Amino acid sequence: MRDEMIFKIRAYRRAAREIEENPQKIADIQDLKKLQEIPGIGEGIANKIIEISETGTCEYYEQLKKTVPVDITTLNSIEGLGPKKIKRLYDELGIQTIQDLEKAIKRKKLQALDGFREKTEQNLLRGITSYKKHRDRFRLDEALGYAQDFVEKLRSHPTTLNVEIAGSLRRRKETIGDADILISSKDPQVSMEFFTSLEEVSRILGKGKTKSTIEFDNSFQADLRVIDAKSWGAALQYFTGDKAHNIKVRKIALDKGLKLNEYGLFNKTGKSIAGKTEKEIYQKLGMQTPPAEIRRDTGEIEAALENKLPNLIEQQHIRGDLQMHTTMSDGINSAEEMAKKGAELGYEYIAITEHNTEGLEVAGGVSAKDIPDYIKQLKSSKAQKLSCKILAGLEVNIGKDGTLTVPDKYLEMLDFVLVAIHSHFRMSKNEMTKRILKAFDNPYVHAFAHPTGRLLLRRDPYEFDFETVCKKAKEKNILLELNALPERLDLDGESAKLAKEFGCKFCIGTDSHSTTQLENMKYGVYMARRGWLEKENVINTLSLKELENHLRQKK
Ligand code: DGT
Ligand code: CA
Ligand code: CA
Ligand code: ZN
């Protein structure tokens, strides 16, 4: 915004990245020298980190902000707007807020600017609508991070008997409205005091005997409810939801002449017959306990009544990770470092899946003619010695007409070929479907990466006929990816369940750009569980040998 030197900007970005990736909590390192041991952090930034840890902000930043009266954070979260455009909109049209932007679009003022067209205006308007629709929700990883920290503090308090996260967080929904935390306590009043006085709390929105609501800095909210131990299971069941699931379960109770509410399961005379645990409630209703992730009344109740719930996949079944990037493109770790981290996670293999540069404007990647070298590098003798094997993969762009941007003779050399849509998102549904089907006809394709292209709370999926694509994937033996990057989570549970019903198989990849991000695998597993997937449905539960056999079958 201030035309600062590019190297200065880069220095801050690099530091931010390193801090994000640092396993240690940065506020715990209050030592100037120790901070400077972190790559990318010099004395200037180290001093600012200490100032921010101590005061919550830093003078330099506050002064800078005053010189630029633009709501950059909000504008930047609109799809189609980045820092460069925001600066031009401010310089040339004086746009500071989302309201200013809307007004300017309505008056067709953007079209007058160089490089902006009517189409740009329409796209931005769509971005604004999408932003407004999503702004009250939070990404699963962020919400879970907050709530789990909180719950750990509550758990370690001496008056706490039991504490649990309920609601959409327990169901691992990909976006979260608010956190619902349940507690049973020796002294409810003390628990409430403790909850509302924790340092993360920025506002107390309500404080009562059995329920309090607090807000964090970023306006994420959490409810805490105090529960009687004898009603623990009933409350956990009720507040886990979702609502549709609850309504149907309550009806099953009614049909049996029983009454179910958040205090327990009661018979006609009002006597409690279950309530301490969820399990005994479901048992008394003649059903298995559905895992929280699938509670949304899409068949789990019927399955539980017939004792036919799926055996959901678990994190421990995962034996490798099938999508990631390295320093060869915009990642921050080398292939070898990724494999070492893979070994730490107990993996037998990882697939390095760089982008191909043809047809894509990203920071680096591999061009088709460099593929032989790329493979040689990944298969170097040094890499072969690691206990976690590296598969040579590539994330290939699907061109506008459905042809792949890398010739077959190169695809044939690779262990694992992902294809994905990275450009021309706005085609008609029919055209987009044809484009994907055409790509699936290529005999070397193993998997379809981030199939819907959505970015959570930011970009809606592109339009295509999902069922037709599932049928073709099944026919051509192409895996559908569950992309575990928290801003994607693509496929989501609903789509994965549908694809499973079509007989599709899946792979889970973290799409990592650093070793730390390899730990995002859990989010992919949550989506798989929400999609009713079992171990057998997911290819990276196979051993290296079995996986190699499967991948070779394509050739
Ligand atoms: P969220 O917060 O929008 O991500 O979604 P939830 O599912 O966490 O919804 P929330 O926080 O409004 O309520 C937590 C749970 O409480 C919900 O999953 C089920 C239960 N619940 C809330 N309202 C109702 C209701 O009107 N009827 C029934 N049966 N259950 C409800
Ligand atoms: Ca909630
Ligand atoms: Ca709530
Ligand atoms: Zn991609």
Side-chain angles (χ1 to χ4, degrees), residues 161-164 170 182-184 227-238 260-266 271-284 289:
L161 296 170
N162 213 343
V163 57
E164 208 68 68
R170 183 164 177 239
L182 306 182
I183 190 168
S184 75
I227 308 295
D228 250 352
K230 65 176 191 303
S231 297
W232 182 256
L236 190 57
Q237 198 281 329
Y238 181 89
L260 177 66
N261 59 29
E262 68 247 61
Y263 303 105
L265 182 63
F266 303 91
K271 186 172 169 288
S272 166
I273 59 168
K276 264 199 197 125
T277 67
E278 276 191 328
K279 199 169 164 205
E280 66 178 17
I281 294 171
Y282 282 109
Q283 233 162 22
K284 284 266 157 59
T289 304

Side-chain angles (χ1 to χ4, degrees), residues 11 15 32 35-49:
L32 201 58
L35 279 171
Q36 288 178 70
E37 284 167 16
I38 300 172
I41 295 185
E43 193 179 342
I45 292 182
N47 270 316
K48 294 193 183 81
I49 291 172

Side-chain angles (χ1 to χ4, degrees), residues 24-40:
Q24 217 184 336
K25 210 170 168 179
I26 204 77
D28 293 343
I29 314 174
Q30 284 296 334
D31 183 90
L32 201 58
K33 285 241 164 56
K34 283 231 172 71
L35 279 171
Q36 288 178 70
E37 284 167 16
I38 300 172

Side-chain angles (χ1 to χ4, degrees), residues 57 88 130 206-207 249 257 294 342 366 458 490:
T57 182
R88 286 198 51 207
S130 171
K207 191 168 160 188
V249 172
I294 65 171
V366 185
R458 220 177 129 85
D490 180 11

Side-chain angles (χ1 to χ4, degrees), residues 167-169 176-180:
S168 51
L169 265 175
I176 303 294
D178 70 348
D180 302 280

Side-chain angles (χ1 to χ4, degrees), residues 121-397:
E121 288 185 341
Q122 285 164 7
N123 289 348
L124 284 178
L125 217 46
R126 202 174 297 138
I128 293 173
T129 312
S130 171
Y131 168 78
K132 284 186 176 163
K133 191 168 88 193
H134 295 313
R135 70 178 143 190
D136 296 333
R137 298 191 70 79
F138 293 79
R139 261 169 34 194
L140 174 63
D141 61 320
E142 294 167 344
L144 205 55
Y146 276 117
Q148 279 171 340
D149 272 2
F150 232 65
V151 161
E152 281 325 304
K153 288 185 184 175
L154 289 171
R155 203 185 297 284
S156 60
H157 196 270
T159 60
T160 301
L161 296 170
N162 213 343
V163 57
E164 208 68 68
I165 299 173
S168 51
L169 265 175
R170 183 164 177 239
R171 303 195 313 276
R172 305 293 194 243
K173 197 169 150 59
E174 60 271 36
T175 66
I176 303 294
D178 70 348
D180 302 280
I181 303 172
L182 306 182
I183 190 168
S184 75
S185 165
K186 286 182 220 160
D187 190 337
Q189 209 182 335
V190 170
S191 289
M192 279 298 183
E193 274 313 315
F194 179 66
F195 175 73
T196 50
S197 66
L198 285 168
E199 60 173 355
E200 296 91 336
V201 176
S202 80
R203 266 198 325 151
I204 301 171
L205 302 173
K207 191 168 160 188
K209 269 202 173 114
T210 60
K211 183 185 168 191
S212 293
T213 303
I214 60 99
E215 192 175 278
F216 298 96
D217 269 343
N218 63 355
S219 83
F220 184 60
Q221 293 180 4
D223 291 334
L224 181 76
R225 291 187 171 82
V226 177
I227 308 295
D228 250 352
K230 65 176 191 303
S231 297
W232 182 256
L236 190 57
Q237 198 281 329
Y238 181 89
F239 290 109
T240 296
D242 74 0
K243 199 168 153 181
H245 175 91
N246 284 358
I247 290 172
K248 194 173 264 181
V249 172
R250 205 177 322 148
K251 187 164 177 299
I252 289 170
L254 281 175
D255 290 346
K256 288 185 180 300
L258 305 170
K259 196 178 132 198
L260 177 66
N261 59 29
E262 68 247 61
Y263 303 105
L265 182 63
F266 303 91
N267 68 12
K268 280 196 192 76
T269 62
K271 186 172 169 288
S272 166
I273 59 168
K276 264 199 197 125
T277 67
E278 276 191 328
K279 199 169 164 205
E280 66 178 17
I281 294 171
Y282 282 109
Q283 233 162 22
K284 284 266 157 59
L285 295 174
M287 53 200 289
Q288 294 173 288
T289 304
E293 293 95 326
I294 65 171
R295 295 187 199 169
R296 59 175 180 273
D297 190 22
T298 53
E300 79 282 3
I301 295 174
E302 292 73 11
L305 283 165
E306 290 174 29
N307 217 9
K308 280 186 184 154
L309 281 177
N311 238 330
L312 299 185
I313 182 173
E314 289 167 28
Q315 169 94 32
Q316 72 200 40
H317 296 145
I318 301 292
R319 292 160 91 162
D321 191 330
L322 293 177
Q323 171 160 196
M324 67 195 65
H325 302 270
T326 71
T327 43
M328 283 179 267
S329 63
D330 52 351
I332 66 166
N333 292 104
S334 66
E336 214 182 300
E337 285 167 335
M338 297 302 260
K340 275 190 187 140
K341 176 74 180 188
E344 271 174 44
L345 294 171
Y347 291 161
E348 292 175 35
Y349 50 87
I350 55 167
I352 303 289
T353 53
E354 287 301 359
H355 286 286
N356 79 284
T357 48
E358 287 84 5
L360 184 67
E361 295 165 37
V362 288
V366 185
S367 72
K369 65 174 178 13
D370 291 335
I371 287 174
D373 271 349
Y374 167 68
I375 296 174
K376 216 189 275 168
Q377 204 179 324
L378 292 178
K379 304 268 170 186
S380 74
S381 53
K382 218 159 124 201
Q384 292 307 324
K385 286 197 192 98
L386 299 170
S387 69
C388 175
K389 289 288 167 272
I390 296 176
L391 302 177
L394 201 70
E395 186 181 1
V396 181
N397 301 312

